[in-house]
Amino acid sequence: MEVLLGACAVTLYGIGDTIYDYASLDGIIPGFSSLADVAYLSFPVLIIAALSIVVYRQMRDRLWPVLLDSLVGTLAAASVVSIVLTPALSTASSQPVSLDSAIALAYPIQDIAMIAVIAGILASQGLDIGRRWPFLLIGLALFTASDVVYALDMTGYVAGSVLDAGWLIGVVAAAFWVDGAARPATGLDRRSRVMPALAAPVVSTGAALGVLVLASQTAVPALAVVFAGLTLAAAAVPLTLRHKVQHTLARTDDLTGLTNRRALNSDMPGYLHPGRRGALLLLDLDRFKDVNDGLGHDIGDGLLRQVAQRLTKEIRVSDLASRIGGDEFAVFLEDASREAAAETATRIRETLSRPFIVGGIAVQTSASIGIALFPDHGAGLDPLLRGADVAMYRAKADHSGHQIYQPEYDDHREIRFRTVQELRTALREGQLVLHYQPKIHLISSEIIDVEALVRWNHPTRGLLYPDAFLPLVEEAGLMPQLAQIVLSQALDQSTRWRSEELNLSIAVNVSASCLQPELPEQITQMLNDRNLPSSVLVLEVTEEVLMIDGSRTAGVLGELRAKGIEISIDDFGTGYSSLAYLRDLPVDELKLDRSFIAPMNEDRRAANLVASIIDLAHSLGLRIVAEGVENEAAYMELAEQGCDLIQGYYLSKPIPAEALSAWLVERRLAAEVS
Ligand code: C2E
Ligand code: CA
Ligand code: CA
């Protein structure tokens, strides 16, 4: 918009010049009130309008301090220029009232305004009017200087003099600024003008006092005295307001213009009166870190600003909204019931789920909101914030969007928190142990494969099974660390077994988050360190892993397999993926999930289904393992159907390594006896 106005200003000026020149061609010097004058006079008006928009847009949240500074400079300059222009002003105002005399008066007034604006820009602190601001200032100064000289010495003007150069350069410089402002500024070429804090007010008040002193000695235009008086008055305002402004700034979040945490602390008691009620909403953007890291801080900041705007639209003026952390906002809803609070939370989530356009990029986000009710969940800000935080955490964990605090969430959170702490210790101090479950080859009755299953030897809670802690490991981002520990323990065990002449291959479960590009190299290193062949290791991955990021995982799996490590699809049949991956992906083995095995005994169709899957695997050249075989009937049935391997409680539960060695020895002895 400001660019449009600026462009109009320059264009109109050009038109004015053309009219003037055209008229001059006929040998007539146009008098006042020609069309050219209208065009000339609109130049400063439009430029000032353009500037005002820039200033307003930029300084919206701290407009007053800046405007006051500018105003002081503006008024002082106006006062001084009024004296300089005395002759022009008095000539113009002494003429009988007519359009001509009005226009004659308009020129010097326009000059006063222009100089005032220049002074105002210089006086303001931290105003950014585009990277080419010096051009605008110099341009306006030249333009006005020519104007002033012209006004003081109208009769002496000849077309084509230095004055024309001043106007021309002035307009060209303004055009250059307009062009600069039209280009989006990048972070680099934004340089702010640094002015000593009190320079502008001091110079301005000094000038105003000078004018007043002068007025007491000689005749000075009344206009100058008025401006000088106003300058002093305006200069006094910031002094009294400064305290207030600083107070406001200290309470305001710079980025969003909402109140900040400090203001929330000081304002909340005013809202929490006995007998009234309300709701504290704590809002946290989901995956904001991704936006910030991935798209840059400028986009992150822009997003936060827009989030604040949308947030404010969804609440009443009497409610309190503040930004209390990076991407955390708190909203206090006055007089809100449980239902009203939930309703507002839904509305806020809806509005925030619509895409944002930040710096030309569409950014999608979502928010999780925790709600604590006053007075039910706390009588002061702190307990309310804590309750809302617990609820928000819950909302994030179960992807429900928003949650109202419930006392039992506390325990849950505490246990989780403690467990994550303990897990870090467990990983560091070797509290994780592996149990091994054997698989039997149905044709040879040999046992040469085992699966390693992790357990946590918890110092107080005893032996914990994966279901109790793996989700937390995943959530805390500790999965790669766990995989390293499991892999090295399994390979160490393999070395030990080999020294006992036990050549067992070990299957290790790996989750999606572990299938990183560096995994193949790490595993090779581990095998080399122990002088083990790659055939000792099988990796079990689930179908979901293949769906998450097909091409990346396929690459990693392909590399592993090329190194001689076998790949097995775990829990086969439970995923929703298409079977096409069996054709395309590097896979050696399928492990049929135990949910297929359990109903086999009672249900003919279930048994037939298993038989078909076995055939399918074989037709693809894959080995098939039946998991969770708990009884002889299932065992026999699977043997009949041609299943390759069997794993389950029927054979053995997962047991510690030494127990497994002993079990294998016992079995061999029993076989030899019979
Ligand atoms: P999974 O890979 O499907 O492992 C088989 C699970 O079934 C094991 O449970 C095992 O104890 C159990 N199981 C074996 N035979 C039978 C049977 O006949 N009947 C019944 N009802 N269950 C049987 P566990 O040890 O609790 O492990 C659960 C899951 O945790 C595993 O499922 C696997 O997905 C995961 N897991 C275990 N260890 C690791 C590990 O080191 N890393 C990763 N990423 N995941 C692991
Ligand atoms: Ca497994
Ligand atoms: Ca399984």
Side-chain angles (χ1 to χ4, degrees), residues 132-212:
R132 292 180 182 165
W133 64 269
F135 287 95
L136 178 67
L137 284 192
I138 294 169
L140 291 185
L142 277 174
F143 184 90
T144 315
S146 296
D147 244 13
V148 169
V149 174
Y150 176 77
L152 291 179
D153 184 23
M154 257 184 316
T155 44
Y157 172 73
V158 246
S161 73
V162 193
L163 289 187
D164 284 321
W167 279 315
L168 189 67
I169 297 174
V171 173
V172 169
F176 189 62
W177 167 73
V178 169
D179 173 54
R183 293 160 205 259
T186 66
L188 275 182
D189 49 34
R190 290 232 155 171
R191 236 166 284 134
S192 62
R193 295 169 305 104
V194 187
M195 279 277 289
L198 284 174
V202 167
V203 172
S204 305
T205 26
L209 285 172
V211 169
L212 290 181

Side-chain angles (χ1 to χ4, degrees), residues 223-241:
L223 198 57
V225 178
V226 171
F227 278 136
L230 287 176
T231 307
L232 294 180
V237 175
L239 290 182
T240 48
L241 268 193

